[in-house]
Amino acid sequence: MASLRILFYSGSIGLGHVTRDLVVAAAIRSQCPGAEIDWLASPPAREHLLDMGETLHPQAIHLSDATTHAEVFMRRGAFNITRWAVAVRKRWAADGRLALSAAGEGGYHAFIGDEAYDVAMALTGGASHPGCPCFVLYDFLGLDRMGLHPLEWIGVGAINRAWARDPTGHYRAVFLGESDDIPDRPFGRHGPSRRAWAQRHASMVGHVVPFDPRALADPARLKAGLGFGDEPLILVSVGGTRAGEELIDLSLQAFAILRSRLPKARMLIVGGPRLAPPAKNAPPGVEMRGYVARLYEYLAACDLAVVQGGGATTLELTALRRPFIFFPLRGHCEQMKHVAARQERWGAGTRMTLRRTSPARLAERMMLLIGHAVHYPDLPLQGAHTIARMVLEAAGR
């Protein structure tokens, strides 16, 4: 039998999704040794895949640069993802056609798209099917209006109507999480319930993280292995885009206040490929770095994390059972409405708002939470292996 060949389209912005996509790929390879996986992705995920020794499909260079386009809509501490999605619909359409063409012409046995809204909408909108089983992975469903501009309302309505189409016969929808993670509200004004849609059309597979929490359950040992002492360690992780600059500034001001009460405290600030905090002239007790590989090891080792409201980072901190404060980006419907609701349901993390948080208030909250014992629920983390089994079964392996 010929080797299994898969085309994996890692969509969305930044590195959060490609990190979990590599976990899914590893699960496929563990269950089907010799599987060949080609990748479609735009920067910075594309460069990360190359660094990890993965193979890019030649058409990857023709995808639009989603992260660069998104940064046009970012401000310090804010990102109206809804307005961005409305603005890039034409680019989505082109990327969807490119991905389907690559899948159809490459002789692949399966196609996987992570947050590949463009592919899903193209397939349910009449595009030619590539002739192999197609899987589209989601970790949230539906857009929400975050502003008052009429064009945003019109665009959101159109996207939600397309999103809510029946995928049967076109692709298999896969939800990374649990049914309760999906809000029981409609896709737009007249659309079906998002939760009911997922229960009817999507496979709920649990979550995907790039580690085994049991192997990272000793923060003191991890801290020593990473070169830190027994002093309290605060990790600030802001992602790799300009939207994280405001959280860096707030955290530095808060740390100056905190250190007057905890003189031995240390702070590590981590940016990303597109936002490298200045390493020189850092205040006493503060270390700044750009992109950090295996960031989850630092999350597991810290005594407190201060992060934005991204779904991946908050999920990882919950799985690692670390105390953390998170700041959803203003205008980011996924972070403000979906991720925040999930974290509240779990009782995990402390939500704060940048515009309503002074340095003194953040320092006070840090003092309360640093090293605080937390009791989060056990999470279903079998998502990668479940997806791998689904793909292999559909591909006849």
Side-chain angles (χ1 to χ4, degrees), residues 254-341:
F255 184 71
I257 299 171
L258 174 76
R259 211 159 190 251
S260 66
R261 300 171 64 182
L262 283 177
K264 293 185 178 181
R266 294 184 62 182
M267 175 174 279
L268 173 62
I269 297 179
V270 178
R274 306 169 77 95
L275 177 62
K280 294 182 179 179
N281 302 319
V286 176
E287 180 181 353
M288 299 191 181
R289 300 186 191 177
Y291 172 70
V292 171
R294 299 168 68 92
L295 178 63
Y296 58 83
E297 293 182 347
Y298 293 82
L299 297 176
C302 74
D303 298 287
L304 174 68
V306 179
V307 300
Q308 290 184 329
T313 305
T314 52
L315 168 66
E316 291 177 8
L317 285 163
T318 303
L320 292 165
R321 290 190 164 91
R322 305 312 299 150
F324 65 98
I325 301 168
F326 67 102
F327 291 83
L329 291 171
R330 294 189 305 275
H332 196 307
C333 67
E334 180 190 2
Q335 294 188 10
M336 294 183 70
K337 294 180 177 290
H338 298 255
V339 175

Side-chain angles (χ1 to χ4, degrees), residues 85-329:
V86 172
V88 299
R89 284 178 63 200
K90 290 184 177 179
R91 291 193 178 100
W92 273 4
D95 287 344
R97 290 192 298 269
L98 183 150
L100 289 173
S101 175
E105 296 173 1
Y108 293 100
H109 299 100
F111 171 89
I112 307 171
D114 188 355
E115 293 209 351
Y117 320 105
D118 41 13
V119 170
M121 293 177 187
L123 285 172
T124 57
S128 297
H129 197 278
C132 62
C134 296
F135 297 81
V136 177
L137 317 183
Y138 298 113
D139 58 13
F140 81 103
L141 294 173
L143 286 178
D144 297 280
R145 299 188 298 265
M146 304 301 293
L148 299 177
H149 198 289
L151 291 179
E152 180 180 329
W153 288 40
I154 294 170
V156 167
I159 290 174
N160 278 333
R161 284 193 297 274
W163 201 333
R165 294 174 188 143
D166 184 348
T168 305
H170 302 287
Y171 68 92
R172 292 185 63 176
V174 178
F175 186 77
L176 301 176
E178 306 165 83
S179 178
D180 287 344
D181 294 333
I182 306 170
D184 190 13
R185 61 174 181 269
F187 281 96
R189 182 175 297 180
H190 303 295
S193 160
R194 304 179 198 195
R195 184 179 297 173
W197 184 94
Q199 291 171 338
R200 186 179 307 116
H201 298 302
S203 299
M204 310 276 184
V205 299
H207 302 282
V208 175
V209 294
F211 53 80
D212 180 351
R214 295 170 297 183
L216 300 170
D218 187 346
R221 180 181 61 82
L222 290 167
K223 192 187 294 186
L226 294 172
F228 297 99
D230 60 359
E231 64 276 358
L233 174 63
I234 300 170
L235 173 66
V236 179
S237 178
V238 300
T241 66
R242 58 185 290 192
E245 293 173 345
E246 186 173 358
L247 183 53
I248 290 177
D249 292 345
L250 176 63
S251 298
L252 286 171
Q253 295 174 58
F255 184 71
I257 299 171
L258 174 76
R259 211 159 190 251
S260 66
R261 300 171 64 182
L262 283 177
K264 293 185 178 181
R266 294 184 62 182
M267 175 174 279
L268 173 62
I269 297 179
V270 178
R274 306 169 77 95
L275 177 62
K280 294 182 179 179
N281 302 319
V286 176
E287 180 181 353
M288 299 191 181
R289 300 186 191 177
Y291 172 70
V292 171
R294 299 168 68 92
L295 178 63
Y296 58 83
E297 293 182 347
Y298 293 82
L299 297 176
C302 74
D303 298 287
L304 174 68
V306 179
V307 300
Q308 290 184 329
T313 305
T314 52
L315 168 66
E316 291 177 8
L317 285 163
T318 303
L320 292 165
R321 290 190 164 91
R322 305 312 299 150
F324 65 98
I325 301 168
F326 67 102
F327 291 83
L329 291 171

Side-chain angles (χ1 to χ4, degrees), residues 5-9 37-40 57 99 102-103 108 110-113:
R5 300 187 66 244
I6 295 173
L7 181 62
F8 207 135
Y9 177 22
I37 301 177
D38 295 335
W39 294 84
L40 288 169
H57 190 283
Y108 293 100
F111 171 89
I112 307 171

